[in-house]
Amino acid sequence: MDGCKNPMSFADLGLSPELLLAVEQAGYTEPTPIQAQAIPVVLMGRDVLGCAQTGTGKTAGFTLPMIEILAAGRSKARMPRSLILAPTRELAAQVAENFDKYGKNHKLTKALIIGGESMSDQIALLDRGVDVLIATPGRLLDMFERGRILLTDVKILVIDEADRMLDMGFIPDVERIVGLLPKIRQTLFFSATLGPEIRRLADAFLMNPKEITVAAPSSAATTIEQFLAVVEEIDKRETLRHIIRVEDVKNAFIFCNRKRDVDVLFRSLKKHHFDVVQLHGDMAQPARMEALGKFKSGEARLLVCSDVAARGIDIKAVSHVFNFDVPIHSEDYVHRIGRTGRAGQTGRAYTIATPDDGRFVVGIEKLIGTVIPRIAVEGVPALDLVMDPKRRGRGGKTAERPSRDGRKARGARDEVRTEEAPPREDRPAREERVPREERAPREDRVPREDRAPREDRVPREERAPREDRAPREDRAPREDRRNAKDRDSRKGRDRGERGGRRERFDSLGIGEMTHRDDAIGFGDHMPDFMLRTVTVKG
Ligand code: ADP
Ligand code: MG
């Protein structure tokens, strides 16, 4: 553990023999930095503000000491003794799995309260009394409003992935839930980022917390080789297929920026006989679980997903990450590629950009402190990034771009479009969209912290059905519902942002992928963000 003053074994952290056995059986030899720092503090009963990227082992960081604390004491019917809030059903389910894994030598009971699954089963569990309640905010409030849960006995609260909760517009729900808990409690608050809004929440929820920051996308990430291909929009799929074919892809995440593009790309890959599944917020719960199961078991090698749907999903040893779209927010790039190169393995991350992604690529390279080596794929013309911001934001470029040889012939395009991407009835015609000039300039827009994410907004299924929500008077005041307002005001802008063409030409030959001569390599340089440092305050 390079240079940090971490204790070297779990035994040093004050865990009981039962837990040490469970940890050993999980195959862990030493605690990750966040675990080494957080576990003793949680055992002391202190509040924790933990900032660490996905994959740093946060779950065990709070689960292990919680099991230790909860081992003394018993639960009463409908009065859980601890509550863990997670932003998505998958993350909640994953925390529950962790409880089973680490709690195998204890007799603690738990309930998983997530949308999209039988409420009566969940109610039956609650009635029996649980030590640990793991929930998504919407379903929990729903249960509470139905009088199925009393939160007055909650002694430990965990808020996991706080920044993602913020992104998804769950903070008003979380604030309501926290208002229902006893004031005297222990609160553990985890986030991958610590922006001003997150700090404000931490101040509101925590008392004299120990602040633990682990600056790394993954505690174990040693090597992620990164590459960038710049191609025409119409060549993106061919480029992706080509790379998948020539690379030794064991399993891979393929990220799209928007959830409807996830489905389109998924169907395209399937048509080309790749073993692929998809995951996005609009899928029904059983379908999501099935997709994840197939990917985890290796039955499907490729998972096309959106940032939110994939966030925090713990799948070990993913050999590749593909960014089918350049993420607009640089931090998302770090989160995405952090899914590979875990646990000391090497991973490869390929990003497919169009020339107009220039400023997004620059933003990413600034953040990671290195230039991503460019590659060219044979059979696909390699282009250069365009930095002129006047050209466009994303997508609206089709009109002014000079067409390249005969490949954009109208007939061919239409033919392919019907095969691979049916026209989107939900979009207004080009002329009806908001003209660029009428839109707020980037800087004037709402800062990221305050906004719902571009796509994958509040997953429908996780929100209480309208009738079930609290009556008007009981709901948060207007200011707290800012997220909802922002969502509406952004609709027009989103529509205008991308008119990406969907045509594909499959007659291209597939050749060897070659690195361009002018590619800038990593050499021996290790980007800063991959070097782990631990700082402890408080
Ligand atoms: P996070 O919540 O920070 O994203 P997770 O808790 O999901 O991270 O852990 C990421 C992965 O690391 C999981 O596969 C988990 O089993 C593994 N892991 C956790 N702690 C350790 C450890 N001490 N040693 C090895 N692997 C660990
Ligand atoms: Mg986590």
Side-chain angles (χ1 to χ4, degrees):
M1 305 236 123
D2 45 341
C4 346
K5 303 172 279 315
N6 296 327
M8 279 306 175
S9 82
F10 279 101
D12 297 331
L13 302 177
L15 299 170
S16 67
E18 291 91 340
L19 277 171
L20 291 178
L21 181 65
V23 163
E24 194 189 316
Q25 286 165 342
Y28 306 161
T29 50
E30 57 186 35
T32 66
I34 189 106
Q35 290 163 1
Q37 300 294 342
I39 291 171
V41 178
V42 178
L43 287 174
M44 280 191 278
R46 267 190 82 174
D47 283 7
V48 166
L49 170 57
C51 179
Q53 300 275 4
T54 295
T56 49
K58 292 188 289 295
T59 324
F62 61 80
T63 309
L64 289 169
M66 275 177 83
I67 293 171
E68 190 77 58
I69 293 167
L70 292 169
R74 300 195 60 178
S75 58
K76 294 178 230 139
R78 285 194 277 164
M79 294 174 76
R81 298 162 65 207
S82 62
L83 170 64
I84 300 172
L85 293 175
T88 65
R89 289 161 295 179
E90 283 80 10
L91 286 170
Q94 215 164 270
V95 172
E97 280 170 28
N98 273 259
F99 255 97
D100 291 340
K101 183 159 70 175
Y102 307 129
K104 59 196 279 195
N105 304 316
H106 289 80
K107 288 201 185 65
L108 297 174
T109 52
K110 64 160 203 318
L112 182 60
I113 305 297
I114 52 178
E117 287 193 351
S118 153
M119 215 177 231
S120 51
D121 290 357
Q122 297 178 359
I123 289 171
L125 268 177
L126 287 172
D127 284 349
R128 262 179 265 150
V130 292
D131 298 298
V132 187
L133 183 59
I134 304 160
T136 48
R139 180 54 78 95
L140 181 70
L141 280 176
D142 203 359
M143 285 281 194
F144 181 81
E145 278 155 17
R146 287 164 192 244
R148 311 313 309 210
I149 310 179
L150 291 168
L151 295 171
T152 44
D153 204 27
V154 170
K155 306 273 193 310
I156 307 175
L157 166 69
V158 178
I159 299 175
D160 200 10
E161 304 262 8
D163 56 348
R164 215 13 80 135
M165 298 256 203
L166 182 74
D167 274 357
M168 295 172 81
F170 289 165
I171 293 304
D173 283 352
V174 174
E175 285 176 327
R176 261 195 83 201
I177 292 166
V178 173
L180 300 169
L181 304 177
K183 294 258 176 310
I184 304 295
R185 56 159 202 268
Q186 184 178 11
T187 306
L188 315 174
F189 184 100
F190 293 95
S191 183
T193 55
L194 280 185
E197 184 72 349
I198 290 292
R199 286 235 171 241
R200 185 188 72 74
L201 292 169
D203 284 348
F205 298 156
L206 299 164
M207 271 173 62
N208 183 29
K210 181 99 166 176
E211 190 175 319
I212 302 169
T213 304
V214 176
S218 161
S219 64
T222 47
T223 330
I224 303 171
E225 285 185 275
Q226 303 169 70
F227 306 99
L228 181 85
V230 184
V231 299
E232 269 286 10
E233 180 80 29
I234 56 160
D235 290 327
K236 282 171 78 171
R237 292 185 200 170
E238 173 61 28
T239 305
L240 176 68
R241 289 197 296 269
H242 179 87
I243 299 171
I244 296 173
R245 283 176 183 135
V246 300
E247 281 280 301
D248 182 19
V249 177
K250 225 183 97 237
N251 50 2
F253 281 95
I254 303 171
F255 286 96
C256 294
N257 284 358
R258 314 197 332 158
K259 61 185 166 189
R260 61 174 166 225
D261 294 336
V262 169
D263 187 53
V264 172
L265 182 61
F266 162 74
R267 282 185 283 128
S268 161
L269 286 168
K270 209 168 167 68
K271 213 185 82 198
H272 284 88
H273 310 293
F274 287 95
D275 45 351
V276 60
V277 288
Q278 64 170 330
L279 200 65
H280 61 75
D282 281 349
M283 289 163 67
Q285 181 66 358
R288 292 168 75 153
M289 288 304 189
E290 189 191 335
L292 237 123
K294 277 190 181 163
F295 188 62
K296 277 189 174 172
S297 70
E299 195 183 321
R301 214 161 44 109
L302 309 174
L303 175 72
V304 189
C305 56
S306 57
D307 291 283
V308 171
R311 178 71 181 267
I313 289 172
D314 173 37
I315 289 170
K316 286 201 194 74
V318 176
S319 72
H320 288 70
V321 167
F322 297 100
N323 294 313
F324 185 72
D325 298 309
V326 178
I328 292 162
H329 301 296
S330 318
E331 317 91 84
D332 284 338
Y333 178 83
V334 178
H335 286 304
R336 289 179 181 185
I337 70 162
R339 310 312 310 261
T340 186
R342 287 185 156 197
Q345 311 208 342
T346 48
R348 290 161 83 83
Y350 284 89
T351 300
I352 302 172
T354 64
D356 303 296
D357 289 320
R359 63 197 181 88
F360 300 111
V361 172
V362 167
I364 289 164
E365 293 181 332
K366 225 184 206 162
L367 178 73
I368 64 175
T370 187
V371 174
I372 306 170
R374 310 296 196 253
I375 54 160
V377 169
E378 206 176 292
V380 178
L383 305 175
D384 288 317
L385 291 170
V386 175
M387 296 304 159
D388 181 0
K390 278 195 295 261
R391 279 185 73 96
R392 64 145 202 164
R394 311 213 115 195
K397 73 225 164 165
T398 30
E400 70 265 24
R401 259 193 151 201
S403 64
R404 213 178 55 216
D405 54 58
R407 299 169 66 195
K408 278 189 197 161
R410 189 89 243 148
R413 183 159 73 208
D414 288 345
E415 185 190 311
V416 178
R417 178 181 288 151
T418 43
E419 268 174 43
E420 287 208 355
R424 301 175 183 163
E425 306 82 339
D426 55 333
R427 263 178 32 202
R430 185 152 278 292
E431 311 74 73
E432 286 164 36
R433 295 188 207 156
V434 188
R436 225 136 233 287
E437 315 73 75
E438 277 173 44
R439 287 163 35 197
R442 270 223 98 77
E443 315 73 76
D444 293 345
R445 295 189 203 159
V446 189
R448 176 174 168 71
E449 291 282 325
D450 296 337
R451 268 167 43 195
R454 174 159 297 309
E455 45 147 348
D456 288 12
R457 310 273 166 68
V458 187
R460 275 264 131 69
E461 314 85 293
E462 283 191 20
R463 294 178 52 195
R466 271 233 92 79
E467 320 72 49
D468 293 344
R469 294 216 198 131
R472 279 237 135 230
E473 313 76 80
D474 293 344
R475 288 174 62 192
R478 278 233 88 79
E479 312 79 85
D480 290 347
R481 307 212 318 260
R482 188 183 46 217
N483 279 314
K485 265 179 30 207
D486 286 343
R487 260 198 305 281
D488 293 336
S489 67
R490 292 179 61 246
K491 265 184 202 149
R493 175 155 44 95
D494 279 353
R495 261 190 246 123
E497 289 228 338
R498 180 182 245 184
R501 289 158 299 157
R502 309 249 134 246
E503 56 270 50
R504 239 334 306 143
F505 297 85
D506 296 317
S507 53
L508 292 176
I510 292 161
E512 279 302 297
M513 190 166 58
T514 52
H515 288 243
R516 266 164 74 180
D517 290 336
D518 57 349
I520 304 164
F522 267 161
D524 291 322
H525 173 67
M526 176 63 75
D528 283 344
F529 79 101
M530 288 184 186
L531 296 173
R532 179 186 58 231
T533 52
V534 181
T535 48
V536 181
K537 272 193 251 160

